[in-house]
């Protein structure tokens, strides 16, 4: 099993992301990365570190692309503001299955499929963003532009997310 979740990830998120909920995210087989409302990465589970080589906590939106070489399906550098986590925070957009190529710190390049969405508190205020991703074993054959599923009004209320809600 993955490493245990940290006792505290961020003052704004701690109330909703504590105890078993955060432990559940830490144990997921899918990679999970959380950022605060300023876009600073505050949490990455073991699967995220395994896929990317290491996720740097504290990195901001301007650092996302420089942490790893991130490329579009066409082989161009992926614009930082178009990455799913950036879009969730900057534009409150939800994205699904955005394909990208990532160059890990060990030099290996892998394809990943990324989905992201904003995290909103019970009053609808932005508190951060989340992305889930998985490595893709086959090189993608078709080029599909990254599109938002919904924008501005979308988001996950921390208390109502399927991942976070208790049965």
């Amino acid at each position: 099993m993955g490493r245990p979740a940290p006792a505290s990830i961020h003052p704004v998120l701690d109330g909703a992301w504590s105890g078993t909920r955060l432990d559940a995210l830490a144990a997921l087989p899918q990679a999970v990365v959380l950022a605060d409302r300023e876009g600073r990465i505050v949490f990455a589970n073991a699967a995220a570190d395994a896929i990317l080589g290491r996720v740097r906590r504290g990195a901001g939106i301007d650092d996302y692309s420089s942490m790893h070489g991130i490329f579009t399906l066409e082989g161009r550098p992926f614009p930082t503001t178009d990455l799913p986590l950036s879009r969730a925070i900057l534009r409150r957009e939800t994205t699904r299955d955005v394909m990208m190529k990532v160059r890990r710190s060990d030099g290996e390049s892998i394809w990943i499929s990324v989905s992201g969405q904003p995290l909103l508190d019970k009053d609808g205020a932005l508190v951060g963003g989340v992305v889930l991703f998985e490595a893709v074993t086959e090189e993608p054959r078709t080029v599909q532009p990254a599109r938002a599923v919904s924008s501005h009004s979308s988001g996950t209320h921390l208390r109502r997310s399927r991942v976070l809600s208790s049965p």
Side-chain angles (χ1 to χ4, degrees):
M1 187 150 309
R3 67 176 181 261
S8 174
I9 58 171
H10 190 274
V12 174
L13 297 175
D14 279 346
W17 294 86
S18 58
T20 57
R21 291 177 176 169
L22 194 55
D23 289 340
L25 292 179
L28 284 175
Q30 294 85 10
V32 179
V33 175
L34 296 172
D36 65 17
R37 70 174 148 242
E38 286 82 36
R40 288 184 304 264
I41 294 175
V42 296
F43 173 83
N45 69 357
D49 282 329
I51 290 172
L52 298 177
R54 181 78 175 138
V55 177
R56 186 166 47 105
R57 280 63 168 177
I61 290 173
D62 292 337
D63 301 320
Y64 295 168
S65 286
S66 64
M67 283 190 298
H68 304 281
I70 302 176
F71 299 92
T72 65
L73 288 172
E74 300 83 12
R76 293 188 299 271
F78 213 111
T80 296
T81 56
D82 289 341
L83 292 167
L85 189 55
S86 300
R87 291 171 65 177
I89 294 165
L90 297 174
R91 300 191 295 261
R92 291 188 179 201
E93 289 180 351
T94 295
T95 54
R96 299 268 187 258
D97 302 319
V98 178
M99 293 298 298
M100 60 187 70
K101 191 172 201 174
V102 177
R103 186 177 308 123
R104 297 166 30 105
S105 57
D106 63 7
E108 180 184 354
S109 290
I110 59 167
W111 289 99
I112 60 174
S113 175
V114 184
S115 297
Q117 64 186 62
L119 298 172
L120 308 175
D121 69 12
K122 62 181 169 55
D123 298 318
L126 182 73
V127 296
V130 60
V131 289
L132 286 95
F133 55 95
E134 295 181 299
V136 176
T137 56
E138 287 189 26
E139 186 168 334
R141 293 183 192 158
T142 59
V143 176
Q144 296 177 337
R147 67 172 183 20
V149 171
S150 57
S151 63
H152 302 290
S153 63
S154 68
T156 296
H157 293 278
L158 295 175
R159 296 177 1 181
R160 294 176 49 196
S161 169
R162 280 186 278 155
V163 172
L164 301 176
S165 295
S166 301

